[in-house]
Every structure is written in C-alpha cells, then in structure tokens.
Amino acid sequence: MKKSANTGSNVLALILLGLLMVIWHLIAEYSRIQKFLPSPAEVVNTLVEVMPLLKIHIWTTLKEAMIGFFISIILAVVIAVFMDNIKLVKKAVYPLLIVSQTIPIIALAPLFMLWFGFGMLPKIIVVVLVCFFPVVISLFAGLSSVDEDMVNLLKSMGANKLQIIGNAKIPASLPFFFAGLKITATYSIMGAVIGEWLGGDKGLGVYMMRVRHSYSYDKVFAAVMVIVLLSMVLFKIISVIQTLSMPWQRKNTEV
Amino acid sequence: MNTCQSRAKLKVNNIEKSFGDIKVIKNVSISLVENEFVSLLGLSGSGKSTIFNIVAGLLKPDSGHVIIDDEDYTGKTGRVSYMYQKDLLMPWKKVIDNVCLPLVIKGEKKKDARDKASSFFKLFGLEGFEYKYPFQLSGGMRQRAALLRTYMFSRDIMLLDEPFGALDAITRAKMHVWLQDILRGLDTSVLFITHDIEEAVFLSDRIYILSDKPALIKEEIKVGLERPRKKEIITSDIFNSIKAHIYGSLE
Ligand SMILES: Nc1ncnc2c1ncn2[C@@H]1O[C@H](COP(=O)(O)OP(=O)(O)OP(=O)(O)O)[C@@H](O)[C@H]1O
Ligand SMILES: [Mg+2]
C-alpha cells in the first residue's frame, strides 16, 4: 500500500517536472532573455558533448564532498554523544552551534584560500562547515528522543553507559540521524562547488566559473544538471542505507 | 498460604521519600516471602511506582532500607527485575533479542542468551514469534514478552507495575489466569502494583492497601483463597466480600 502511494507521488512529481521543462523551453525560445538561457534540449546536448571533459571535474568535486561529508559525520557523532551524556558540554556547545550558523560561510570562504591554499583542503573545510550542523542537530535530537523509561529499564538491569547508548540511544536516533544525512548529502556537493568558485584548477565549481567567463551558458547549465543528478543519487543512496539499517521500520514486509 | 514461617526474600523497612516539599512516601514497610505474590493497591498517583523505583534501586529513599536476602540493596540497581507500566519492548530488536536483553547486558554471548530465552517461548505463549519485531505482536503478546524479559533478568524477585493496565478487560482476565498458572511452575516471588481491586484479589496472597498522598500502608489483607484459582471465583461470595472490604478501606 505504502509502495503504491510512493509511486503515485513520484508520477505526480514527474508530471510537474515535465510541465516546468515545457515552461523553461518556452521562455528559452520566445522571451527576451533567450540569449542567456539555453533550452532544456540544448543543455542535454551540451552535457553529452562535454561529458568526457567533465569527468575529472565531477570526480574532484565528488571526492571533496565525500571527504567533507564523512568528516562531518564523525565530528557530529562525537559531539552529539558528548552533548547527550554530559550536561555541561551541552550547555557550553549547543548555543555556540546555533550561533555559528549565522556566520555567512560564503563571505568567509575567500579567507580559507589565503589560509589553506588552493588545493582540496579549503573546499573540504567549506563542506564540513556546511554539513556538520544539520547532522549534529538531528543526531542530538534523536539521542534525546529515546524514552526515558527505556533508559531506566536498562539501568535497572545494571546496564552501563555504553550499553545504554548501544541498545537504546543509537537505534532510537537513527530516523533523526538519517533525516539529517539526507539533507547533508545534498549540501555536501553544494559546499564543494561553492569552495571551488573561489579558486582551484579542478572541480565542477571551477568549470562553471570558466565557462561562465566565456559566456557558454549552456555549459553552465550542463554543470548545474550534473550537480542536481549527483545530489539526487546521494540522497537515494542514503535512503537505501536507511531502509537496510532499520528493518523494523519496514512495517509492510513480512520479516 | 502459610507464609509466616518462611524466610523473607525482600524487606522494605520504613522508607520515606519526598519530591521537593511534597512527601510522597511515608514510613512504608513491606515484606515479601519466597514464592509469595503480594500486591500494592492504591489510587492513581498515590506513589506506587515511586516505591518500586526505590526497591529497584533507581531512586534513593530519604530514609529507610531495602533488604534482599539479608543484604542491604538500598539504592543499588541490578538485583530485582522490574516490569514497567509500558511494555518498553525495543522496536528495533526482534522479540527474542528483546527477551534475552538482560542476559546480554550481564555479559552473556548473544547466541547463548538466545538459546536460554527460546526455551521459555512456548510456556509464555510466544512460540513462532521469536524472530518477529514487536510491532507484529498483539497487545497481550507484547505484555507476555515483556514479562518473559523480566523473568530472564531475575527469576527470584519480580516487580510488576500494572503490567495489564493497557489491555482490554477480556484479554486482561485471560492474562490473570495465565499468569497464575505459569507462576506455579516458576520459583518466583512477585511484588505487583495495581489499582484494580479484582485483579489484586484474584492474583495475590497478600495485599497492601496504600493511602493517597503521602502513601502509607493503611491495611494489610491476607487473601485466603485456595490455589489454583479458576476465573469463576470472581463471582463467589468470599471473593466479593474481600472486594467489598477493600473498597471500604480505600474510600
Ligand atoms: N521524579 C519525580 N519528581 C517529582 N515528583 C514526582 C516524581 N516521580 C513521581 N512524582 C510524584 O509523586 C507522586 C506519586 O507518583 P507515582 O508515579 O509513584 O504514582 P503511582 O501510584 O504509580 O500512580 P499511577 O497509578 O498513576 O501509576 C505523583 O504525584 C507524582 O507526580
Ligand atoms: Mg505508577
């Protein structure tokens, strides 16, 4: 039942997407901005054409995004577990985390180039700064979501902190954690691209800057399309991992 | 039942407890003899669960002691098993892993723990559901699974806090007969919380009646009904006269 509902909503989304494509096409063909706006068909053609050249850029961006993504996860897990277990840490760190989100990273990013050079490091740092927050907040919410009585029950059995974390806290927090990861996966690609805009010699962001300077807007859009596809694939991969790691949530399948 | 001569398994001596300025438990003493079934009967919010939390060692009393097998266990967890008002089965663990959780916590290997637990599934009416998840069980089965988990933890003393409170009346009546029957085969002393008079009379050897805020023991009643008790007993005259007496005492 759930499955058919899902397929239904996918069909609706596809119909809407098709509609938007038609509108895009009409604007690109007939409006005043047509000079700066390639049509969807042109973009796809260009994408196929430049693909061999794009591969190295895709690979670089993906590498930066994934390294940053995993560093964020590790950092977030460590900090969320500490905040959950030690009240003092929570009181000290949580407000700072919130405040840190008001810092405009785009404004700071150019400085990273000065501090860390033009290699992969500053890009990875941007990715971590963008990704870390949603994971840590969602994981912390998940860890605190566990039923206090369940923790007490484990305590009454003589369980230690690690056993409580492993048997109750972590499994209870998984849905929250994965919700955070899905957002983060898409942010990670964006973070890497933003980092690349500021300089470097490889990556989708670098490529976008170059082709923009040569007024090849179809190529800009081709890069955008690649970014969208990459983000969607990552999102899907995380969804699949989520389903696999939480078999108790698959209520409709016989286990 | 002639319980007076047997050894006291559990003794709660003169415990007191306040939350802030409000005194919740006042000078409560309880004893539980081997293989005895004793109920604490009191109105909602009278402090029954608080007493259990103290016996289980999760809360420290302001004064008084919890003695188990002549040893002082005040404020120490891990000795008696405790079943909460909610079943608290972990949705992410299969039924068998929920049930053998206490053994795993004690450091047993998962496989050994599963072997030990699975031999009880038939007795507890859970056969065939070992590898299901809790959401696939009915309400009555969930309670039985939670009770089996409680039993796996400590066989000699079990604290049951309104284990059947969430069940419908018919399922609950069935569970009463079932519980009595399996307890006869197990070597267990039970301390039981309820606010249901009929449940208390049907299941118990003795009943402590608690007063409301602060909880203190108003009366101790011996239920002299023969075992095994059949479910028809609830319409008998003695049963009703005990019920009437308790009702008067609670008022
Ligand atoms: N940790 C706590 N802090 C403050 N007050 C508490 C705490 N635990 C319980 N109380 C209060 O103590 C009183 C007794 O609570 P308790 O849960 O022991 O009652 P109960 O008899 O088990 O009730 P019920 O039948 O509804 O389960 C209640 O008024 C409750 O609000
Ligand atoms: Mg209670």
Side-chain angles (χ1 to χ4, degrees), chain B residues 177-188:
Chain B
V177 177
W178 171 81
L179 178 63
Q180 174 191 243
D181 288 349
I182 68 151
L183 282 177
R184 288 205 305 150
L186 308 171
D187 222 4
T188 306

Side-chain angles (χ1 to χ4, degrees), chain A residues 146-147 149-150 152-159 163 167-168 171-172 247-248 250-251 253-255, chain B residues 58 77-78 80 82 84 86 88-93 101-102 104-105 131-133 135-136 149 153:
Chain A
V146 67
D147 187 340
D149 282 339
M150 210 173 258
N152 274 331
L153 176 75
L154 283 164
K155 278 188 192 157
S156 85
M157 294 176 183
Q163 287 173 319
N167 284 294
W248 64 91
R250 277 177 277 161
K251 303 222 163 176
T253 45
E254 263 310 290
V255 194
Chain B
L58 292 168
T77 58
V80 300
Y82 187 175
Y84 281 66
K86 296 176 272 183
L88 291 179
L89 294 174
M90 302 188 174
W92 44 85
K93 284 185 190 288
L101 180 64
V104 173
I105 299 272
Y131 294 93
K132 304 271 177 192
Y133 283 98
F135 73 85
Q136 293 165 302
R149 177 182 60 191
F153 176 66

